[in-house]
Amino acid sequence: MVGRRQFLRSAAGTIGGVCLARYAALAATADSHIEIILDEPIGMISPNIYGHFIEHLGGVIYDGVWVGEESKVANIRGVRKSLIDDLKAIQAPVIRWPGGCFADSYDWKDGIGPRDARPRRTNFWVDTGQLRDKGNVPQSYDPNHFGTNEFVGFCRAAGAEPYLAANLRSLPALDFDHWVEYCNSPAGSTTYADIRAAAGAADPFEVRYWGLGNEAWGCGGQFTPADYAVEFLRFLAWIPRYGVDLQLVASGPNGGDWDWTRSFLEKVVQKGHARLNDIYGLSLHHYASRLSYGVAPGGRVPKPDALQFGDLEWYELMREGAKVESFVKGHWEIMGEFDTERHMRLVVDEWGPWYAQGSEVSPTDVFGQMITLRDAVFSARTLDSFNRNAEKVAMANTAQMINCINSLFIAHGDQYVRTPVYHVFAMYAAHQGGTAVRTELDSPMAHYMREGQDADFPALDGSASISEDKKTLTLTVANTDTKQPRETEIAIRGAEAKGCQVATLTSADIHAHNTFENPDAVKPEMRTIEASGSIVNYTIPPASVTRLDFALS
Ligand code: AHR
């Protein structure tokens, strides 16, 4: 490891780079340091870390994704075309569907066959406050127009792999077998293959990723971890494979529920150690939905507001979000006690900041919320933490893609906008498939007031990766400090830069967000900077996300 003192000594070398014009007058000497140590690889960054999630919930599927073939909204076989185009642009690798909690109430057979003959069902979320208040609205029911063929077609059009969440709470294991058969059995081989073909998909879908239940500790059945393990093993025993290398995901813990992971794995191992080899991933969910200051003991903590916030709520949200890295590390350690050969990895298939109702663009967009620069910085920090733990995290899916929680897109009818979180995914796509390398960040803390006391939070957070062809080093950095820019010395250990492209996402207003009327309020600014040698100085603006792509000599 390169020590800080040694780093400071060598920092006296070549200096390149420029500052954003508005910070040009700030200190000439660096106050922050980033060391990128190229010969300390962490692991390949699974492209699937940049995955997505859609659920039959409020305005996600109907209105968000599915507009129908007859819609005046431009569509590709019923799916909103601009959404497909934008997902392609960010190289969306994988999409999880149909839930969420909805998955454990969904009968996949309702969503196949001729669309106009499909049954209408009550949606899982019918009794949630946001719908209950609204009377008999379409969002309380599901016409099943968007089913397996439509979902797989959407994934294929967007260039993503499907990840299906099977119902373990309210359907028998045989239904799961049959869903696999429907998706993967060869053309002409089974009745289900024929139904699939009649809907225009003769070739098998070859779906690899399957989750068995969702949040089994809650809406997925309120199981104990040991009871869920028994169900999980029953579901995965003898699934037909059809030559597809199935990657099975077990419902895992909520945040730091260590007991879930330990007790689940204890039971799996009791049933036969070899079973561990069948598990591709253990899912982990973490939402930053409650901030932990000013709470009376036993008191109800309200969700924070999406648009009304000051420094306190900004930093406390970041603090809540940052917990995900300790959850990844903690669960990984426990997994290692059982899975000594490391067959299994973590699948963080729901994450994001979750706010109180009130900023959604349409009243029936359940859990819809406006996405600001705060969410972009939050998302960048989260993705950086996954990159830093590339050997542990196989997949992550932000919740949810459109019109719900940490959305990349907001849509209503023919209105559609890309949020600041979309731009983070676009900027961070450069990490997909690269090799994460150890990156040390050292910056002054950001300060704010918390219950009358000075509180602080690390300003800079980031990660770095080398592209497969080893020609480009990508460094992404979030500056969480709402006010202070950071004059940063970037030291590249083990190579030299010969040029640098920079993308910066920021705004003078931490509440900035994109709306239908003003879709480009927050968008990345691109520039080329001079950078040569192993030390580059760069000023990272406050409340920003920055990507630096160094060409390596
Ligand atoms: O993403 C919204 C909901 O949050 C999901 O349905 C559920 O899995 C989680 O509790």
Side-chain angles (χ1 to χ4, degrees):
M1 173 179 169
V2 182
R4 176 162 158 72
R5 197 163 296 157
Q6 186 190 341
F7 167 74
L8 289 173
R9 251 200 324 271
S10 52
T14 321
I15 297 202
V18 292
C19 315
L20 281 182
R22 68 184 216 254
Y23 303 112
L26 289 155
T29 51
D31 60 17
S32 301
H33 309 274
I34 299 177
E35 291 202 34
I36 308 169
I37 304 150
L38 297 195
D39 61 4
E40 290 194 34
I42 297 168
M44 196 268 273
I45 297 176
S46 164
N48 287 345
I49 282 177
Y50 293 86
H52 305 278
F53 167 39
I54 52 173
E55 176 168 6
H56 290 242
L57 164 59
V60 178
I61 300 294
Y62 300 107
D63 200 14
V65 176
W66 180 258
V67 293
E69 286 165 333
E70 309 302 321
S71 174
K72 65 179 182 357
V73 178
N75 67 86
I76 299 179
R77 287 183 293 282
V79 174
R80 191 180 282 278
K81 182 176 179 307
S82 20
L83 178 65
I84 290 175
D85 293 343
D86 284 336
L87 290 172
K88 280 202 278 203
I90 59 170
Q91 299 164 39
V94 64
I95 305 172
R96 176 177 185 243
W97 172 82
C101 295
F102 176 86
D104 279 298
S105 69
Y106 179 60
D107 185 344
W108 67 270
K109 296 184 289 307
D110 290 346
I112 61 169
R115 213 171 282 139
D116 52 9
R118 295 182 193 171
R120 282 168 293 130
R121 302 284 185 210
T122 305
N123 185 282
F124 171 88
W125 296 99
V126 62
D127 282 330
T128 201
Q130 233 172 307
L131 291 183
R132 215 177 36 226
D133 294 352
K134 307 284 175 318
N136 203 15
V137 291
Q139 290 74 13
S140 295
Y141 306 97
D142 198 312
N144 279 301
H145 289 171
F146 190 83
T148 303
N149 286 59
E150 290 78 12
F151 170 64
V152 175
F154 169 44
C155 291
R156 298 282 181 257
E161 272 206 72
Y163 167 21
L164 297 182
N167 180 344
L168 181 137
R169 177 178 64 87
S170 58
L171 282 183
L174 185 61
D175 284 288
F176 169 53
D177 285 14
H178 284 165
W179 202 7
V180 177
E181 180 177 304
Y182 180 81
C183 290
N184 293 352
S185 63
S189 65
T190 64
T191 301
Y192 280 133
D194 292 347
I195 301 174
R196 187 187 69 218
D203 290 338
F205 293 144
E206 298 184 345
V207 176
R208 290 198 297 155
Y209 299 111
W210 295 87
L212 301 182
N214 167 76
E215 297 192 349
W217 38 265
C219 62
Q222 293 182 323
F223 289 101
T224 64
D227 287 349
Y228 171 69
V230 171
E231 287 301 298
F232 172 77
L233 293 173
R234 199 162 64 79
F235 267 62
L236 72 70
W238 315 113
I239 320 163
R241 306 248 163 189
Y242 308 105
V244 177
D245 185 15
L246 300 184
Q247 309 288 320
L248 303 172
V249 179
S251 174
N254 185 22
D257 183 354
W258 314 120
D259 177 58
W260 180 275
T261 299
R262 182 165 280 112
S263 305
F264 168 75
L265 290 174
E266 254 163 23
K267 193 69 180 181
V268 170
V269 167
Q270 233 179 51
K271 291 268 182 174
H273 194 267
R275 290 284 182 223
L276 284 174
N277 306 354
D278 289 334
I279 311 178
Y280 163 73
L282 187 64
S283 95
L284 163 67
H285 290 183
H286 176 54
Y287 288 103
S289 57
R290 312 273 174 204
L291 311 183
S292 55
Y293 63 90
V295 183
R300 200 179 161 273
V301 191
K303 285 197 171 88
D305 196 277
L307 291 170
Q308 308 295 320
F309 59 88
D311 273 8
L312 172 64
E313 292 81 9
W314 165 284
Y315 289 113
E316 291 298 307
L317 186 88
M318 301 296 167
R319 192 183 297 288
E320 191 56 39
K323 289 181 183 168
V324 79
E325 188 165 11
S326 58
F327 297 151
V328 164
K329 288 180 175 166
H331 289 295
W332 180 252
E333 215 165 281
I334 297 169
M335 286 156 73
E337 292 169 21
F338 301 89
D339 179 25
T340 48
E341 291 170 20
R342 295 293 191 189
H343 289 286
M344 202 191 319
R345 291 201 282 159
L346 281 155
V347 171
V348 191
D349 52 17
E350 290 187 30
W351 66 267
W354 191 341
Y355 303 113
Q357 192 183 328
S359 65
E360 60 279 10
V361 295
S362 167
T364 49
D365 281 358
V366 181
F367 312 142
Q369 59 191 32
M370 195 47 76
I371 301 296
T372 68
L373 180 62
R374 175 171 61 162
D375 305 305
V377 174
F378 178 104
S379 299
R381 294 180 56 97
T382 305
L383 293 169
D384 281 321
S385 74
F386 295 154
N387 290 343
R388 287 195 296 268
N389 293 280
E391 82 286 21
K392 307 180 188 81
V393 184
M395 190 195 290
N397 310 70
T398 195
Q400 301 192 10
M401 176 193 290
I402 185 162
N403 290 343
C404 185
I405 315 180
N406 196 35
S407 296
L408 285 79
F409 312 97
I410 295 176
H412 190 45
D414 58 3
Q415 297 176 298
Y416 172 86
V417 69
R418 299 182 293 197
T419 72
V421 169
Y422 166 83
H423 292 301
V424 171
F425 274 78
M427 289 164 70
Y428 276 55
H431 282 302
Q432 291 187 21
T435 299
V437 291
R438 194 159 75 83
T439 305
E440 297 289 330
L441 294 99
D442 184 2
S443 70
M445 300 292 275
H447 288 268
Y448 63 104
M449 294 306 286
R450 185 184 199 263
E451 293 170 333
Q453 309 277 322
D454 183 51
D456 57 21
F457 190 78
L460 296 189
D461 196 31
S463 65
S465 68
I466 311 176
S467 60
E468 270 181 281
D469 63 9
K470 308 221 178 315
K471 290 186 179 156
T472 310
L473 169 66
T474 297
L475 169 67
T476 45
V477 189
N479 183 2
T480 310
D481 198 311
T482 56
K483 299 190 176 59
Q484 297 301 320
R486 294 291 171 218
E487 291 277 347
T488 308
E489 271 172 331
I490 302 164
I492 304 169
R493 303 290 172 201
E496 303 219 322
K498 57 170 187 186
C500 184
Q501 305 279 341
V502 184
T504 309
L505 189 73
T506 189
S507 167
D509 178 6
I510 58 173
H511 310 90
H513 53 279
N514 298 338
T515 59
F516 297 141
E517 297 73 34
N518 187 7
D520 290 326
V522 188
K523 65 170 190 193
E525 188 187 318
M526 319 298 278
R527 64 186 60 225
T528 301
I529 63 168
E530 278 177 29
S532 61
S534 57
I535 304 290
V536 176
N537 271 20
Y538 191 77
T539 302
I540 300 173
S544 69
V545 179
T546 302
R547 187 189 78 206
L548 298 106
D549 288 317
F550 296 101
L552 298 179
S553 58

